[in-house]
Amino acid sequence: MLAACGTPERPSAFGTYGGGSSDGDAATGSPSIVVDASSNFEPMCNLGPEGGVCACVDQNLVGDVPTIYFVLDRSGSMLEMNKWTNVQITLNELVIAIGPRAKIGAAVFPNPAGDACSTGVQVVAPRLGDRPAGRAGATQAILIQTLSAIPAAGGTPTAATLAALTPLLEANPGRTYVVLATDGGPNCDSFASCDVDSCTSNIDNATDCPTGGPTNCCTQPDIGPEACLDSQPTLDAVSQLFSAGIPVYVVGVPGSAPYAQLLDQVAQAGGTARGSEPQYYAIDSSDTADLLAALSSIAAKITGTCTLELDAVPPDPGLVNVFLDEQPVPQMGPDGWTLDGTTVTILGASCDAILGGSVLDVRVVAGCPTVVF
């Protein structure tokens, strides 16, 4: 009988993970959370002789682990169509799928502890994703439990939030990418002034503020200049991040369409403009599948690679498998994979799926006979 097949014992990994520990603390000010770290269990891969069960273990990957840092709009309009809840549902799926291939951090705006226009704050410090990919764990739990404790309310202080986060993000080691998700135009600048066409209350057709006027609601005492579109400061803040080597991806959730021109400019300033209009990632549907597809595409640009480096040579190359979204990929054929020492190279359509974002959960697993065809 093959070692570790048909028995409850699992084979030992032939190395230790090179990307750092998945342990870490949420940012100061986050709700107190207790997480059972034992949820990071090793899966059974069901590839044993005659359909028996092999106990398999993920093999450790080495290399640069990027940080995906979510900056999330939690303004009052995110209550509409359950947008704030849908963002959390989508991030939950995304973070589980990415696993340890990225570190995850998050900030929200406005500050949950402040007023409607208070500068946003970090709520989850960057921490390694859960291992193995495809399984919930401590990072996923901290992120979602933290966000679910924060209600949607307030304005959209995008520029001030990005400017305040810049030193923090510059100090983060390794490659860092910001994913800005918002459903409207930036505002909350008390020093702004604008005409009716640049007043977000008018653009959003708020009560008694019809699009185009005749009343410029940003001159009304009960609304004020904080409702003016804060375009240039937002572009300046994003440009500063990009100049520091931190690209900014822009995701416009439902409600952002009236601000498409500005969001295109923000994507350009962040160095992530798409090749066609809209140049940002525009989501028109409240269906979480569309949001997940957009975020998966972004994550693939950040983490996607078809060349995986193991931290040691497998002791038995005949007991190694590649899994994409929890399914083993046959080794042979144009869409299979190769193993050369410590390097696993994924080929053809399997590689395209990784680079295109339709597959995020990528694992190399040892302990069971290689699926060849």
Side-chain angles (χ1 to χ4, degrees):
M1 181 178 290
L2 293 169
C5 294
T7 77
E9 298 179 357
R10 297 187 174 97
S12 299
F14 43 77
T16 56
Y17 185 69
S21 171
S22 63
D23 293 331
D25 296 322
T28 300
S30 301
S32 177
I33 298 169
V34 178
V35 177
D36 181 6
S38 66
S39 59
N40 280 343
F41 60 91
E42 303 294 353
M44 309 296 284
C45 60
N46 301 314
L47 293 175
E50 300 179 357
V53 174
C54 274
C56 297
V57 63
D58 278 56
Q59 298 309 306
N60 303 312
L61 306 179
V62 295
D64 182 20
V65 178
T67 295
I68 304 177
Y69 194 92
F70 297 99
V71 180
L72 306 173
D73 178 356
R74 55 165 287 267
S75 60
S77 58
M78 291 292 286
L79 284 170
E80 301 166 4
M81 298 188 294
N82 293 319
K83 288 182 283 190
W84 183 232
T85 298
N86 288 345
V87 166
Q88 296 171 49
I89 291 171
T90 305
L91 289 182
N92 184 66
E93 294 186 46
L94 184 78
V95 170
I96 289 173
I98 293 172
R101 296 172 62 208
K103 296 176 183 177
I104 303 296
V108 299
F109 61 92
N111 186 340
D115 61 29
C117 276
S118 56
T119 300
V121 292
Q122 176 173 277
V123 293
V124 177
R127 49 181 294 132
L128 189 67
D130 299 309
R131 183 176 183 269
R135 298 291 187 273
T139 293
Q140 169 268 343
I142 284 177
L143 176 68
I144 300 307
Q145 291 179 24
T146 299
L147 294 179
S148 65
I150 298 172
T156 315
T158 313
T161 298
L162 292 174
L165 291 172
T166 296
L168 194 66
L169 294 171
E170 288 178 331
N172 186 56
R175 295 183 293 130
T176 302
Y177 301 82
V178 166
V179 178
L180 171 65
T182 182
D183 75 336
N187 53 29
C188 282
D189 185 346
S190 60
F191 296 101
S193 62
C194 60
D195 59 23
V196 65
D197 294 327
S198 298
C199 179
T200 60
S201 294
N202 290 97
I203 295 171
D204 293 334
N205 203 27
T207 303
D208 299 326
C209 299
T211 302
T215 301
N216 178 0
C217 283
C218 287
T219 63
Q220 302 303 303
D222 57 335
I223 296 178
E226 287 87 355
C228 287
L229 194 58
D230 199 28
S231 301
Q232 193 57 51
T234 299
L235 292 171
D236 291 344
V238 172
S239 296
Q240 178 62 39
L241 281 166
F242 184 58
S243 296
I246 303 171
V248 179
Y249 289 90
V250 182
V251 178
V253 299
S256 62
Y259 303 94
Q261 182 177 0
L262 175 57
L263 295 179
D264 273 350
Q265 295 172 345
V266 175
Q268 293 166 9
T272 63
R274 305 168 72 191
S276 59
E277 295 290 341
Q279 296 183 38
Y280 69 103
Y281 291 80
I283 309 300
D284 298 321
S285 169
S286 59
D287 187 350
T288 57
D290 291 342
L291 180 56
L292 180 60
L295 291 176
S296 295
S297 178
I298 293 170
K301 294 179 183 299
I302 297 171
T303 67
T305 179
C306 296
T307 303
L308 308 176
E309 291 294 334
L310 308 178
D311 64 353
V313 176
D316 187 343
L319 297 178
V320 176
N321 284 282
V322 171
F323 281 73
L324 301 185
D325 282 350
E326 305 302 304
Q327 297 299 316
V329 178
Q331 184 179 28
M332 305 302 292
D335 303 323
W337 53 276
T338 63
L339 174 62
D340 182 8
T342 59
T343 302
V344 174
T345 303
I346 302 172
L347 308 174
S350 299
C351 175
D352 293 342
I354 295 171
L355 298 181
S358 58
V359 166
L360 289 177
D361 181 350
V362 181
R363 299 160 51 207
V364 179
V365 181
C368 294
T370 301
V371 175
V372 179
F373 295 104

